Amino acid sequence: MSTAPAPARAAREVYRDTVAELLPGEPRLVVLDSDTGLFGGVDFGSAADRYLNLGIAEHTLMGTAAGLAREGRIPLVNTMAAFASSRAVEAVKIDIAMGNLPVLIAATHSGVSAGHLGPTHHALEDLAVMRALPHMTVVVPGDAAGTGELLRQALTLGGPVYFRLGRGATPDLPAGPPLRLGKAQQLRHGTDVTLAACGPYPTLAALEAADLLECEGITANVLHLHTVKPLDTPALLSSLGVRDTVITVEEHWSSGGFGSAVAEALSAVRPVRVHRMALPDEFVPVAGSQRYLLERGGVSARAIAERARDSLVSRSGGTR
Amino acid sequence: MCAGPEGGHLGGSMSLVEILSVLYFRVMRHDPRFPGLPERDVLLLSKGHGGIALFATLCEAGYFPAEVLDEYARPGSHFMAHPHPEIPGVEIASGSLGHGLALGVGYALANRLDGSDRRSFVVMGDGELQEGSVWEAASVASAHRLNSLTAIVDRNGLQITGGTESVNSLEPLADRWRAFGWRVLEADGHDTEELTRALTLPADPQAPTVIIAHTVKGKGVPFVEGQARSHYARLNGRQHLRALNAVRASTGGERR
């Protein structure tokens, strides 16, 4: 992704700043932290009693949020994606999702954004886990720029939200249509293939793949789906037109995540070929930056373009 | 309910009866006509396998008529082996152990933020204390000095596969709670006067309170009393009658 723009800001920092801005004016909001350090130095002013650090205790973090939500509060809980979606998931399932409670789980360090922190801190199963839970809305902001807006919308839903954030700064996506929770953003129009992307680098890789393909006379639709659940199936279908191929791109293991969600949704309506660009079914055994680990796993502009090319060839009856 | 086609958690429910009775009929502020009343005290039955004792208590307190208990375990009924908030008066879904105390922390924090003197009671099984999440929540509760929170441990000493001390020992239980920063009280869990005294003691301003209630699993049902096999039972007609007669005899034959 040599032509990708430079990283701008970290989505989790925009999340933090937005929370600090919202907290004083909305007395129902309560921030529960689990020693993440994200809120270090933040002055909540008159709302300081509604920031509570429970320490390194993720199950209790979720249960406590559920208790507060049952008493009319809107808790925002903060932990890393790996801990929210694996360690604490039973509390998320039983205490939060079952009650359809308005708890926003802000999960940082998602995907391989923890980089050299290693597989204990990578979260490549979280979309599969969270979207499997009834009532759960699953949101993946594509960049820092859109994070505040999606957060504000998510807090009005009145139900549980998994809000998936990365660790470090990522480049901002090019401007697109207004961000609406549950609605896909069409970032590029094309006629030959649909690239459906989720997450910062996957979406950038899809856009760059569209550039590569355009050089060869292939035009691609690029859809940015920041909401994995509920999935904007109508937008996917209309982007397909008469075509029957979609390539999904995500920062997740290949099973159960965004690509699976797209395949499930589309297969119920049309016979569509869904090619999933995702990380292979293995723990990531090496250090590296988020971008490096994704490219190593095959989530890169070049690989996407190649897959798109292949799908067009195979569809037209050609052979490789 | 244990005499129905599916049976039920007899032992751990019978050990709870006095605890729940004292809470609902002497200690807690609640109104069965308005189960979600904001000013109510709350009971979270973390040991969800005591569900049928809770259902019977809520029924007795007037949350729903006795007839609906006949639906227990029938297809389509909200009355399952474990509590569910679809049932009037039930606050949380429980049954998977080790969840209730963290929820109690949340309720207690909400009380504090509201400036309310409402109380939160969490009833736990002793076997449940083998779950690590209990101690995680216990630690958070004392760190935040949640003095409106009271935990009650139904210390009947038995779990499915035998005695708690032989499976995964909990002793010295009172010292464990003290070490986690809690005020510890002990009571005979079948003595309503002792339980009332413990549950109405003024709060310790600095700490949450735990009451270790010493109980007998299956209390009042002679053929399973004190036995691990009472954990789940399906009573046949004869056993059902024997159990009812024993309970009636021990309560002077009173029946509403």
Side-chain angles (χ1 to χ4, degrees):
Chain A
M1 288 189 281
S2 52
T3 61
R9 279 178 297 169
R12 67 180 175 129
E13 289 167 3
V14 173
Y15 160 81
R16 174 198 64 204
D17 296 345
T18 310
V19 169
E21 192 186 323
L22 292 175
L23 200 65
E26 173 43 274
R28 287 177 301 168
L29 297 182
V30 180
V31 179
L32 297 181
D33 203 351
S34 57
D35 197 47
T36 61
L38 180 61
F39 291 93
V42 173
D43 180 8
F44 290 109
S46 61
D49 63 337
R50 286 185 282 119
Y51 168 80
L52 294 148
N53 185 5
L54 305 189
I56 306 159
E58 288 82 11
H59 182 112
T60 297
L61 178 75
M62 300 301 176
T64 299
L68 280 158
R70 286 208 171 272
E71 291 297 85
R73 304 282 172 166
I74 302 174
L76 299 103
V77 302
N78 299 273
T79 182
M80 294 187 193
F83 311 146
S85 63
S86 295
R87 184 174 211 129
V89 74
E90 199 195 48
V92 174
K93 170 187 155 188
I94 294 176
D95 304 334
I96 295 174
M98 197 187 293
N100 194 14
L101 298 174
V103 175
L104 185 129
I105 300 166
T108 62
H109 298 62
S110 67
V112 288
S113 67
H116 72 283
L117 298 179
T120 56
H121 284 56
H122 297 159
L124 293 165
E125 76 286 24
D126 58 337
L127 296 179
V129 170
M130 290 294 168
R131 79 181 187 88
L133 300 177
H135 302 308
M136 188 64 73
T137 295
V138 180
V139 182
V140 188
D143 59 12
T147 297
E149 181 55 34
L150 288 171
L151 175 64
R152 286 168 200 271
Q153 293 180 27
L155 287 172
T156 67
L157 290 176
V161 180
Y162 182 70
F163 202 70
R164 189 192 212 225
L165 302 167
R167 176 177 180 241
T170 57
D172 281 343
L173 299 177
L179 281 168
R180 298 264 308 282
L181 211 71
K183 298 289 173 201
Q185 267 191 319
Q186 184 152 18
L187 295 181
R188 185 77 66 94
H189 294 264
T191 56
D192 297 313
V193 65
T194 289
L195 309 178
C198 175
Y201 284 121
T203 307
L204 288 166
L207 286 164
E208 197 185 337
D211 288 341
L212 296 174
L213 290 167
E214 200 163 344
C215 298
E216 302 166 30
I218 300 168
T219 63
N221 263 319
V222 178
L223 286 186
H224 166 223
L225 289 108
H226 46 72
T227 309
V228 175
K229 186 183 178 183
L231 193 70
D232 190 355
T233 310
L236 283 162
L237 279 172
S238 64
S239 84
L240 285 174
V242 296
R243 294 176 302 278
D244 64 355
T245 299
V246 59
I247 294 172
T248 63
V249 194
E250 66 190 304
E251 183 169 345
H252 193 273
W253 275 316
S254 56
S255 52
F258 168 69
S260 301
V262 171
E264 287 164 16
L266 293 181
S267 67
V269 194
R270 266 180 62 179
V272 177
R273 281 182 287 188
V274 179
H275 301 280
R276 288 170 297 147
M277 308 297 293
L279 289 165
D281 188 22
E282 62 186 32
F283 291 95
V284 179
V286 297
S289 70
Q290 184 176 12
R291 190 182 294 193
Y292 169 83
L293 293 176
L294 280 167
E295 295 199 354
R296 182 181 179 278
V299 182
S300 69
R302 210 159 48 99
I304 297 164
E306 195 174 326
R307 182 67 69 88
R309 223 176 282 124
D310 286 354
S311 73
L312 292 172
V313 170
S314 66
R315 196 180 57 190
S316 61
T319 54
R320 293 189 64 199
Chain B
M1 287 173 268
C2 294
E6 300 291 346
H9 291 107
L10 181 63
S13 291
M14 294 307 287
S15 64
L16 264 187
V17 170
E18 289 83 3
I19 294 169
L20 293 178
S21 298
V22 168
L23 281 169
Y24 277 93
F25 299 108
R26 290 187 179 172
V27 176
M28 284 167 50
R29 293 175 296 185
H30 69 113
D31 185 340
R33 292 168 303 172
F34 306 103
L37 197 71
E39 298 81 28
R40 77 202 184 286
D41 294 331
V42 300
L43 180 279
L44 309 176
L45 183 64
S46 189
K47 53 166 286 184
H49 49 294
I52 59 176
L54 178 63
F55 304 157
T57 307
L58 290 170
C59 177
E60 201 65 24
Y63 281 86
F64 41 79
E67 296 81 64
V68 303
L69 288 180
D70 294 339
E71 298 167 11
Y72 171 76
R74 298 264 173 86
S77 172
H78 294 310
F79 289 88
M80 297 176 270
H82 301 109
H84 192 281
E86 292 285 342
I87 296 168
V90 173
E91 299 278 342
I92 58 164
S94 58
S96 175
L97 298 174
H99 283 247
L101 196 56
L103 278 134
V105 168
Y107 276 85
L109 284 173
N111 292 347
R112 175 177 292 174
L113 288 169
D114 291 341
S116 162
D117 64 349
R118 299 166 46 211
R119 299 178 67 187
S120 307
F121 300 92
V122 180
V123 175
M124 289 182 284
D126 51 358
E128 177 174 12
L129 305 185
Q130 290 160 1
E131 291 283 1
S133 55
V134 170
W135 300 101
E136 193 178 285
S139 179
V140 170
S142 67
H144 288 268
R145 300 180 181 181
L146 297 176
N147 57 10
S148 70
L149 179 65
T150 299
I152 301 148
V153 175
D154 179 2
R155 182 70 171 122
N156 62 37
L158 291 171
Q159 54 194 114
I160 292 180
T161 53
T164 57
E165 298 317 288
S166 63
V167 174
N168 183 352
S169 171
L170 299 167
E171 294 297 342
L173 188 56
D175 287 343
R176 284 196 189 187
W177 283 100
R178 276 188 208 103
F180 273 78
W182 286 58
R183 172 175 70 168
V184 181
L185 307 173
E186 301 206 39
D188 175 339
H190 299 299
D191 183 327
T192 53
E193 298 310 317
E194 268 192 41
L195 284 170
T196 305
R197 270 196 297 279
L199 285 163
T200 52
L201 214 61
D204 178 336
Q206 297 299 318
T209 295
V210 59
I211 298 167
I212 298 174
H214 296 279
T215 61
V216 175
K217 198 156 181 167
K219 175 74 173 176
V221 186
F223 48 90
V224 292
E225 212 175 80
Q227 296 174 38
R229 72 183 175 93
S230 72
H231 184 84
Y232 198 91
R234 183 173 165 250
L235 304 182
N236 61 31
R238 197 173 54 86
Q239 291 168 325
H240 186 206
L241 272 180
R242 277 178 65 200
L244 283 180
N245 286 336
V247 172
R248 281 177 194 147
S250 71
T251 56
E254 286 175 38
R255 189 167 174 239
R256 248 174 67 161

